[in-house]
Structure formats: structure tokens, C-alpha cells
Amino acid sequence: MSYLGIDVGTTGCKVIAFDEEGNIRAWAYEEYPLYHPRNGWSELDAEEVFEKVVRCLRRVAEGIRHDPPASIGISSQGEAVVPVDAEGRPLARSIVTFDARGDEFVPLFREKLGDERFFAITGMPLSGIGTVNKILWWKKYAPDVFRNARYFLCFEDFLVFRFGLPPAISFPLASRTMMFHVERGEWSSEILDLAGIPPERLAQPYPSGTPLGEVPEKFAAAFGWGKGIVVAAGGHDQPCGALGAGVIRPGLAMDATGTVECIAPAMSRFVGGEAMWRNNLCCYHHAFPGLYTTLVYNFTGGVLLRWFRDQFGEKEREVAACLKKDPYEVLLEGLPENPTSLFVLPHFTMTGTPYFDAHSAGMVVGLTLSTTKKEFIKALLEGVSYEMKLNLELLRNAGIPVERLRAIGGGAKSPVWLRIKADIYGVPVETLSVSEAACFGAALLGRKAKEDVKDFGALVRDLVRVREVYEPDPERAKIYEERFAVYRRLYPALKTVILQEGEMP
């Protein structure tokens, strides 16, 4: 028996079939273009996204011809929204997360509700990225789109609708819209009234793992499938990744290292208060029913090492090609054992939490003529880890301690970086038996819905096993703790320079 997990991201989608033991049976990935018709605009063609998902489903169906899926769960990027007609046909391109058009409508909610009240309802710090602000943009600047749209859907509910079922959205993804009352588990009438959006034009929200219905025969037949394939309420991609990493109890957190570095802990309750919203920390539904999560992240993350590889790693790329190795493996060989004396502020893109500063910039402090290339590379990894340690302290101060981290993503393949993280964070960092955590989390939710799993926690613990643990080295951890005090002063110093100069060149 196999279980499908679909992950719809900003630049590509993935479909993976897992067996009952959590092993990958078949997988497919497709990319699609991100459009930027104007400065600050970011859009996806939802029809293109759907076509690529269908292509992935066909390839996976071919790989499991003798073992058709029992269920489907969907992991989706957050905030992105598409207006559709009654048949599910897109009326405009989807406006995705970091499209800047929503910023215009933030003052409306700040004036009518205020930051504290807005967070108490939605669990989201007030910002322009929320789905509600994107819908308001259509309402103001494309009134025909707003008027003719039967539904405004995120990508999970869009796929569910296109599969042939009534549009339904999971609690975690609904939370990202900034229209959802997180503690009540329903659309917020207060926010929808302010925005002038009737609730019947949104998908019906359900807890993750709820069965939404069976794939209609017409859609299933296109892949050679029969009846009985259950579609489940899935989740936002980060909580799905946390579920797929077995992060289902307080004290545990997912550490996902890709282009962005993101940490997502499990929480037993909704955590509000000024310490959350003032630091741009959210609090919303986990994909594991009954739990909550938050996100801390740095947008530069793993892309920093890719930048170094592309700009300064020509020799390492040549060596890797000759030895048929990964260029990153060559880059990270022979790094110094001890902490470096360099400090890197990893704001090479805009910052993440807690600052949300689009005008910050990268900084390297401590360079001398004796600095080596390997020291510089290690300092890049240390800088990203220092930034995330800062975020872990914010979580601790808000009453969300993290005792262990479970690493997923590209960074989980690097023992060097995992040791650095353990030493800087001062907590154990674990690698796992599972891969592709977001798809696996979605597939687990599909299995829960199909089989009416009563002890879902036991199933997750059985399938997600710790492979290796990186413990902090006491001596290195002490040095890093001392140097972290220096790191904390870098951003305030840079911010002072930016304010004095007016703008970085």
C-alpha cells in the first residue's frame, strides 16, 4: 500500500509515494516559472502549477502501477492565493508570498484593530504578506477579478477543488492567510467584515488529517486508479516538514536548511503576548492535530554557501567534477576544527525574524592578511548559526524552549555544519531516517485520514527514527557563547551606519 504526499512550493512541485514503512517508492519533481511583471510583484500561473502537479502524478502513478495509492495529502506554500471561477479556472495569476502589493493595506488593520489585537486573532504579526491583503489588492485595482471570483483559494484548496472535491483548506494553511481565528479554528468574522470578503468565497477549513472525501472516479481514471483514494486536509509546508521530521512534542524543533534557514518548534498551546508580535514571531496550527508552532528564519540561510561556491569556488567545482563529488563536499573539507575569529552577519538578502529589515546587508568583521579561505567558509556557516541562535533566544524568552533540533534539508547532509550548529546552539542536533520531510508529513496526514489512525503519535514515532546525534562540544560551545556576545552587536552597528548614511550604496 502506498501513500502520496504532494508539496507545492514557490518555484516547483514534488509528488512522492511512500510505502507503509516510510520508504520512497516513486517520486517526481517539476519546476514552473515565477513571474515578475513589475518591480515588487511576484506571481505564479496557477494553471501551470496544476499542470505540473498532474505531470508529477502521472510519473509517480507509472512507478506504482501495481500498488495504487490509498490516500493523498498536500503540503503547500503559504499566503499565495488565486481567484477562480465556479469551475476552478484561474481568473488571474496567483499573487505569492513576498509580493509587495499587500503592504498598502496594512494601515487599515492597524487603525481598526491594532497590532496586538490582530495577533490575538490570527496568531500572525501584522504585515503585507497575508492572503487577505492580496485579495484586497484585487478588490481595489482589479474589481472585475474580485467580483467574478467564486473562490479565493490557496494552493492546497485549489488542488482539492481541481481534483473534483469541494474546496477545503487545512488549519495550518488557513492560519497563514491572516483571516483565520487561530484559537477558534474558524474564519474571523471581524477581519472578513473589515476586508469586505464573504466567508463563502473561501474554502472550508479543517484540522490537518481530516478526510475530505475520495478522489472522484473521473480524475482518478486519468492515472489508472480505481475508487477509494482518500484526500486529506494537509498543511502549510513548514508544519508539514516538522511533522515529517517527527517534531510532535514540546522541546523538539525542526531545523530546515535550504535556501532559507528555518526553525519550527512544537508547542502545546497558543502563545501570544508582546514578546511574540513585536519580534515578528507567529503562532499557528501545527500539522500534528492539537499542537501549535511558530517559525524563526533567516532568508539568506543556505544560499550563502551557494553564493560562495558560485563566486569564489571555481577551483572546488573543478576538483569536484574530476572526483565526481558534490562541490559542497569539497568546499567543506578541511575546515578549521576550532571556532574562527571572524564574524559574518548573514543579511545578504533581507533579514528574517526578528527584524524583517529589507535594508540590512551582509557584513564580515575580523579579516586579516592571515585569514584563509577555509576559515572564511567556516565563518559563513557560523554566521548563519549565530543568527538562528539569536532567534532561539527569542523563543526561549517567549516561553518556547528548544531542547533538541531535528535537521532536514540540504544542510542535514553536512556533518561539518551540524557540528557547528550543535556547538553554537548548545543543544543536540539530530539527523533522521526519513527524507523529503514536507512530502512525508503530507503523506502521513493522508494515511491518518484513510485509516482513521487513533494513535497518530505512535505511528509518527515508529516511522521517523533518529539516525545520528550531534552533541555540543563543551569547550567549543563555551567559546561560541563568548563570541555570540560580539555577534549580537553587529546588526545594531550596521543599522546605525545605514541610518547615518541614509541608504547603503
Side-chain angles (χ1 to χ4, degrees):
M1 189 174 292
S2 60
Y3 310 89
L4 294 189
I6 301 175
D7 183 36
V8 183
T10 306
T11 58
C13 61
K14 189 176 295 182
V15 176
I16 302 179
F18 299 89
D19 66 16
E20 291 176 295
E21 300 301 317
N23 303 306
I24 293 176
R25 294 287 310 281
W27 71 277
Y29 174 75
E30 291 279 347
E31 292 186 350
Y32 31 76
L34 190 61
Y35 297 97
H36 304 282
R38 295 188 190 179
N39 185 39
W41 291 23
S42 295
E43 299 178 340
L44 283 172
D45 185 320
E47 197 63 43
E48 285 182 340
V49 173
F50 181 70
E51 289 171 1
K52 294 301 177 72
V53 170
V54 169
R55 285 181 62 175
C56 287
L57 285 169
R58 285 202 181 101
R59 285 162 56 193
V60 169
E62 185 67 20
I64 55 171
R65 277 183 298 173
H66 304 296
D67 190 13
S71 60
I72 297 175
I74 302 168
S75 161
S76 171
Q77 60 176 300
E79 293 87 43
V81 59
V82 55
V84 301
D85 64 17
E87 305 301 318
R89 293 185 292 257
L91 302 180
R93 283 181 181 161
S94 169
I95 303 177
V96 303
T97 299
F98 293 106
D99 186 289
R101 279 173 277 182
D103 295 348
E104 175 183 349
F105 305 99
V106 170
L108 166 69
F109 298 106
R110 182 159 284 140
E111 177 185 344
K112 298 295 185 181
L113 295 174
D115 291 80
E116 188 172 3
R117 175 63 183 158
F118 189 86
F119 184 89
I121 296 171
T122 67
M124 296 288 144
L126 181 53
S127 75
I129 70 171
T131 307
V132 64
N133 298 309
K134 305 177 192 313
I135 298 173
L136 284 173
W137 187 89
W138 281 314
K139 185 178 182 182
K140 181 175 181 179
Y141 295 104
D144 287 347
V145 170
F146 181 84
R147 182 174 56 255
N148 294 327
R150 174 62 185 89
Y151 295 109
F152 296 99
L153 304 177
C154 297
F155 274 99
E156 177 191 16
D157 29 326
F158 172 67
L159 290 185
V160 170
F161 195 29
R162 290 296 294 266
F163 289 171
L165 295 171
I169 188 170
S170 62
F171 279 10
L173 191 59
S175 300
R176 303 300 304 181
T177 66
M178 297 188 184
M179 295 182 282
F180 194 65
H181 198 301
V182 175
E183 290 194 275
R184 292 180 184 170
E186 60 186 31
W187 295 117
S188 167
S189 58
E190 194 169 357
I191 289 177
L192 293 185
D193 287 348
L194 280 174
I197 301 171
E200 58 269 20
R201 300 179 76 181
L202 304 174
Q204 181 66 34
Y206 294 94
S208 296
T210 302
L212 304 177
E214 295 182 0
V215 176
E217 187 175 349
K218 181 180 179 180
F219 188 80
F223 308 100
W225 298 335
K227 299 179 180 179
I229 302 171
V230 171
V231 179
H236 181 222
D237 51 12
Q238 299 295 356
C240 277
L243 172 62
V247 176
I248 59 171
R249 65 168 176 81
L252 277 181
M254 173 195 74
D255 183 2
T257 305
T259 301
V260 174
E261 178 88 6
C262 179
I263 292 176
M267 300 149 56
S268 60
R269 60 184 177 86
F270 179 83
V271 178
E274 191 170 348
M276 295 291 286
W277 61 265
R278 281 205 183 276
N279 287 302
N280 291 304
L281 303 180
C282 57
C283 184
Y284 67 114
H285 288 273
H286 197 313
F288 188 86
L291 295 182
Y292 292 84
T293 190
T294 184
L295 304 179
V296 292
Y297 47 90
N298 177 28
F299 285 120
T300 299
V303 77
L304 193 53
L305 194 59
R306 186 173 71 190
W307 164 79
F308 187 90
R309 179 202 66 185
D310 294 345
Q311 299 299 324
F312 307 107
E314 182 178 358
K315 179 181 177 181
E316 286 80 5
R317 295 200 304 272
E318 292 174 355
V319 171
C322 290
L323 299 177
K324 297 183 178 179
K325 297 173 71 173
D326 188 325
Y328 291 116
E329 186 180 347
V330 178
L331 277 172
L332 298 178
E333 287 175 344
L335 296 190
E337 181 71 18
N338 293 320
T340 74
S341 56
L342 300 178
F343 296 94
V344 176
L345 185 69
H347 295 177
F348 285 55
T349 58
M350 69 174 288
T351 73
T353 52
Y355 310 120
F356 279 3
D357 185 349
H359 302 290
S360 189
M363 179 191 294
V364 183
V365 176
L367 290 169
T368 70
L369 292 177
S370 63
T371 299
T372 67
K373 189 174 188 177
K374 292 297 184 179
E375 284 179 298
F376 192 89
I377 293 172
K378 183 168 185 178
L380 297 178
L381 306 183
E382 290 173 333
V384 174
S385 302
Y386 281 137
E387 186 79 351
M388 297 312 294
K389 179 178 175 66
L390 181 72
N391 279 283
L392 286 171
E393 285 201 345
L394 291 174
L395 291 179
R396 189 178 302 112
N397 293 338
I400 311 168
V402 173
E403 300 163 358
R404 303 181 82 84
L405 287 159
R406 291 190 164 181
I408 65 171
K413 301 173 184 177
S414 170
V416 172
W417 201 347
L418 294 170
R419 291 190 188 99
I420 290 172
K421 288 181 176 184
D423 291 341
I424 289 180
Y425 300 160
V427 298
V429 179
E430 303 172 342
T431 60
L432 305 169
S433 59
V434 301
S435 60
E436 304 295 348
C439 275
F440 187 53
L444 284 169
L445 292 168
R447 183 170 179 176
K448 178 182 184 298
K450 173 67 176 182
E451 300 174 1
D452 192 23
V453 178
K454 300 302 182 185
D455 193 344
F456 191 42
L459 176 66
V460 175
R461 287 189 293 272
D462 183 53
L463 295 181
V464 182
R465 294 175 291 277
V466 174
R467 189 179 63 196
E468 192 169 359
V469 180
Y470 293 82
E471 297 281 354
D473 177 84
E475 292 186 11
R476 291 196 298 268
K478 182 179 179 182
I479 296 171
Y480 277 129
E481 190 66 36
E482 293 169 352
R483 294 186 180 177
F484 178 63
V486 177
Y487 176 84
R488 297 175 70 106
R489 290 150 46 194
L490 294 187
Y491 174 72
L494 179 62
K495 190 174 181 181
T496 301
V497 171
I498 293 172
L499 288 173
Q500 288 176 345
E501 299 298 326
E503 185 176 341
M504 290 291 288

